[in-house]
Amino acid sequence: MSPVKQFTCIVCPRGCLLTVEITEPAADAVSGAPNYLDAVRVVGAACGRGVVYGRQEATAPLRSLTTTLRTSGADRPRLPVRSSADLPLERLLDACIALDTVVAQAPLRCGDVVMADLLGLGIDMLASDDLAVCPANGASHG
Amino acid sequence: MKRETIYDVIVLGAGPAGLAAAVAATDSGSSVLVVEREERPGGILKQCIHDGFGLVRYKEKLTGPEYARRDIAAAESRGLYLLAETFVSRVEKGQDGFALTCVNRDGLHDLRCRSLVLATGCRERTDRQVFIHGDRPAGVYTAGLAQAMVNLHGLLPGRTAAILGSGDIGLIMARRLTLEGVAVAGVFEVKAEVSGLTRNVQQCVRDFGIPLGLSTTVSRVFGRQRVEAVELSRVDERLRPLPGSASLVDCDCLILSVGLIPENEIAVSLGVPLDPATRGPQVDQNMHSLIDGVFACGNAVHVNDLVDYVSESAETAGRAAAAWARGLAVGQPTPRRLQPVKTQGPLLYAVPQFVDTASPVDTICYFRSNRTLASGARLAVGPAAKFAATGPATTAENFVERKFEVLRPPEMERFVLPAARSAGLTGALQLALKPEGEA
Ligand SMILES: Cc1cc2nc3c(=O)[nH]c(=O)nc-3n(C[C@H](O)[C@H](O)[C@H](O)COP(=O)(O)OP(=O)(O)OC[C@H]3O[C@@H](n4cnc5c(N)ncnc54)[C@H](O)[C@@H]3O)c2cc1C
Ligand code: SF4
């Protein structure tokens, strides 16, 4: 029997229930190589983005990461940040631990890279807001 | 006597609703002032650091602060005047507009305007707390307060958390706390169904293997100084704890995510009639309340799940507030001809509650079903007089007919009723929702 997985599409708020069936890949008619793409069948997606998501989710789930960083010299204690691309779901917690020691130095603009190449994944962490300088806060916020 | 400035439009609140309303009113030629009680504009979006905002308005997946930044940039580029750290304490209606009393560090200020836009957002319900027995230790927080602590101040509410209520903010906090190293003992919901979006159940709870207990409530809190444990009970269909079903969960904080209600102290003080279903002002399609010159938008009207529609309703309110002020300035406010909107079938609510048939503005209607309609439903909109007690009598005279694949209470739906169609209404407008496969 081929494995069937069910999950909710998280690409948009509609939240379609996807059923993904993984079959034995057939040999491609032209190249003869196994065709993995057609071996993953996605049912229940109301749009094409759900099909792409379903394939990915069934094989290697990816998630975006949003969190906050400690700041230094800024007008507030935390800066919200986001990942430049989605990372493997099972690396989210490691990523947060790695970001625990990173300090965002004001001033920063929304979109600035605050940490490059997170965990060697080739993904950057970007400021998701402007961070203004506050002269009174020279020391890093705890 | 000193002549005071009269603004065409004063907007209360600088969240996404207030900012979009102010920008739209400015673009319509009005003089506009925004009053905000907090230090920075952006409203609740400042603390919503997760992504998923803006898919409708910008076709992009933005975080809350990024979404707010776009509204702030639009306001700044127009030189919009924001009076921050100022609380509006009192509003009075006069002959030619409104007189506002504001309080800030410099003392009391009197402001005047022709149109008033209420964009004060919503607040968290805390009433459920009352029903929990036991001690009253420290460590019980609402989800929004916990979100502000973690995301704005970098403070953790505890080491092990139990979350009561499955609203979106509670689900989002389950993930947020997990990522910050807090152990989440579970998310518990008294109803048999999750009240937040399905995608948040997946990406915030299931992704991290957090237990989700439905038909389960917190029946007792233990702890002298600080929360030490909570008692969980399973409930029956009538939401009463089942005897003998209690179990203990160790935790040092309890987070309540039991829903939001519109913030409407000022509307109430002005005598603006509220809708008991939304708990916000009743409005027409211009977001004009039943008191002339008072407009409302965003979460102050009804609690939205998507900020994109908050902005949409706010732009409508801003344009209409500007038009009203123009009319007042020349002494000729446009009279309204209001027809009520009636609902039929499993509808929780519909906004607007009135249609102004004298207005050339199309009606954007937002509604929610009151239960999950898994096999979908048909919506028919037309003159109420043409509807039978059991549902739409004819189809030829319906203004709008729509079919929905599935309807769930947490997911708001929307349709547009063109002004050309509603202009001829001589009585109430009816919205009839008929579930598929039900008699
Ligand atoms: C705790 C919380 C978390 C939320 N999280 C999400 C989420 O994750 N995703 C989502 O899509 N939606 C979320 N929402 C819903 C969110 O509120 C809306 O999407 C959107 O931000 C509403 O915009 P608004 O401008 O109507 O209200 P708000 O953003 O709440 O803005 C209202 C503004 O009015 C100001 N104000 C209020 N009263 C006065 C007064 N008397 N005088 C002066 N100023 C005043 C407030 O300070 C505030 O800045 C959340 C709501 C809350 C309460
Ligand atoms: S399949 Fe398409 S419509 Fe359905 S949730 Fe995913 S993105 Fe949204």
Side-chain angles (χ1 to χ4, degrees):
Chain A
M1 250 194 42
S2 54
V4 173
K5 291 186 187 176
Q6 268 202 334
F7 34 71
T8 306
C9 178
I10 60 167
V11 177
C12 91
R14 183 158 169 178
C16 294
L17 182 67
L18 308 180
T19 306
V20 183
E21 196 184 347
I22 304 174
T23 54
E24 205 49 51
D28 188 273
V30 182
S31 66
N35 183 340
Y36 289 102
L37 202 62
D38 288 343
V40 183
R41 222 164 61 87
V42 182
V43 180
C47 81
R49 286 182 303 168
V51 176
V52 174
Y53 172 80
R55 288 222 169 93
Q56 185 70 50
E57 186 69 10
T59 46
L62 297 177
R63 294 290 182 271
S64 61
L65 173 64
T66 58
T67 182
T68 64
L69 296 183
R70 223 186 299 267
T71 64
S72 172
D75 63 350
R76 56 202 139 113
R78 305 299 288 196
L79 172 72
V81 294
R82 65 175 306 164
S83 56
S84 59
D86 292 351
L87 50 148
L89 172 59
E90 77 272 7
R91 302 303 303 276
L92 288 182
L93 281 166
D94 299 343
C96 282
I97 293 167
L99 288 166
D100 228 16
T101 52
V102 179
V103 177
Q105 180 67 49
L108 285 168
R109 300 285 297 185
C110 186
D112 284 354
V113 174
V114 285
M115 190 205 202
D117 196 17
L118 179 67
L119 305 176
L121 293 167
I123 291 167
D124 300 333
M125 290 306 289
L126 314 176
S128 51
D129 201 355
D130 291 357
L131 188 68
V133 177
C134 177
N137 290 333
S140 108
H141 275 284
Chain B
M1 212 177 88
K2 182 177 144 265
R3 266 186 73 89
E4 320 166 58
T5 331
I6 303 184
Y7 290 92
D8 289 324
V9 179
I10 290 185
V11 178
L12 301 193
L19 292 171
V23 165
T26 306
D27 289 350
S28 304
S30 280
S31 59
V32 181
L33 172 71
V34 183
V35 186
E36 167 59 54
R37 68 179 168 202
E38 290 185 2
E39 195 181 331
R40 292 191 288 137
I44 213 78
L45 292 180
K46 297 194 295 281
Q47 69 186 59
C48 298
I49 62 152
H50 58 278
D51 58 14
F53 300 85
L55 283 169
V56 180
R57 198 178 182 207
Y58 298 114
K59 311 276 176 278
E60 263 184 80
K61 194 168 79 170
L62 303 173
T63 62
E66 288 170 317
Y67 189 100
R69 186 120 307 280
R70 296 197 179 190
D71 286 328
I72 295 166
E76 281 173 352
S77 73
R78 285 163 180 80
L80 215 116
Y81 188 41
L82 173 74
L83 197 57
E85 290 181 272
T86 304
F87 185 75
V88 176
S89 56
R90 195 183 152 94
V91 182
E92 273 174 83
K93 187 171 162 62
Q95 267 294 302
D96 51 356
F98 301 89
L100 284 72
T101 311
C102 302
V103 198
N104 63 19
R105 232 179 264 157
D106 309 323
L108 282 176
H109 303 270
D110 293 317
L111 297 169
R112 291 180 63 195
C113 63
R114 297 192 171 93
S115 296
L116 183 69
V117 179
L118 304 174
T120 46
C122 59
R123 63 190 158 83
E124 295 181 280
R125 295 172 68 142
T126 47
D127 45 355
R128 276 269 292 287
Q129 243 164 304
V130 179
F131 298 107
I132 301 171
H133 300 284
D135 309 317
R136 289 266 177 272
V140 181
Y141 304 97
T142 61
L145 182 62
Q147 192 180 43
M149 282 171 69
V150 177
N151 293 345
L152 299 179
H153 306 289
L155 303 169
L156 295 180
R159 287 202 180 85
T160 308
I163 300 180
L164 176 63
S166 60
D168 285 311
I169 308 168
L171 300 177
I172 282 163
M173 282 315 291
R175 171 177 64 186
R176 189 70 195 110
L177 291 172
T178 305
L179 290 177
E180 287 297 327
V182 176
V184 178
V187 176
F188 307 104
E189 168 61 56
V190 70
K191 291 188 226 116
E193 213 176 21
V194 173
S195 55
L197 297 173
T198 326
R199 69 198 291 251
N200 285 335
V201 176
Q202 176 65 47
Q203 65 186 352
C204 300
V205 178
R206 284 198 210 123
D207 269 6
F208 301 99
I210 297 168
L212 177 63
L214 297 176
S215 299
T216 303
T217 193
V218 170
S219 42
R220 225 180 153 85
V221 178
F222 297 96
R224 292 191 74 88
Q225 304 279 316
R226 165 113 214 153
V227 174
E228 288 163 16
V230 297
E231 178 194 74
L232 300 176
S233 291
R234 302 269 307 161
V235 298
D236 63 16
E237 321 78 71
R238 293 168 66 187
L239 311 184
R240 290 170 311 197
L242 288 166
S245 70
S247 61
L248 273 192
V249 168
D250 287 333
C251 59
D252 62 358
C253 62
L254 172 64
I255 292 174
L256 303 169
S257 172
V258 293
L260 304 168
I261 43 178
E263 175 74 73
N264 275 308
E265 261 175 64
I266 289 167
V268 169
S269 78
L270 280 165
V272 172
L274 304 186
D275 178 339
T278 57
R279 301 178 74 167
Q282 300 187 336
V283 290
D284 66 18
Q285 79 267 37
N286 286 306
M287 307 309 286
H288 201 167
S289 78
L290 296 185
I291 302 246
D292 282 348
V294 179
F295 298 77
C297 53
N299 280 0
V301 176
H302 62 125
V303 178
N304 288 257
D305 44 85
L306 289 185
V307 67
D308 306 74
Y309 295 132
V310 164
S311 307
E312 181 180 59
S313 74
E315 286 168 2
T316 304
R319 280 191 296 268
W324 183 262
R326 251 193 328 271
L328 258 192
V330 298
Q332 293 172 322
T334 341
R336 291 191 277 167
R337 272 204 310 270
L338 297 179
Q339 295 294 355
V341 177
K342 289 189 183 172
T343 59
Q344 183 177 40
L347 283 160
L348 186 63
Y349 67 73
V351 171
Q353 292 83 356
F354 290 88
V355 175
D356 177 8
T357 59
S359 165
V361 174
D362 293 344
T363 299
I364 302 176
C365 182
Y366 308 98
F367 70 92
R368 288 176 198 276
S369 62
N370 64 9
R371 58 187 163 93
T372 299
L373 304 174
S375 358
R378 277 173 198 278
L379 179 79
V381 182
K386 303 285 179 196
F387 280 66
T390 50
T394 60
T395 49
E397 285 171 273
N398 288 341
F399 296 155
V400 175
E401 281 181 26
R402 286 277 301 274
K403 201 171 169 295
F404 295 91
E405 296 290 335
V406 55
L407 288 176
R408 294 189 202 97
E411 289 157 33
M412 195 177 79
E413 291 289 349
R414 167 188 180 283
F415 69 88
V416 180
L417 170 63
R421 302 234 58 185
S422 57
L425 267 180
T426 52
L429 179 79
Q430 184 137 325
L431 251 69
L433 188 67
K434 201 166 185 307
E436 291 291 358
E438 285 180 30

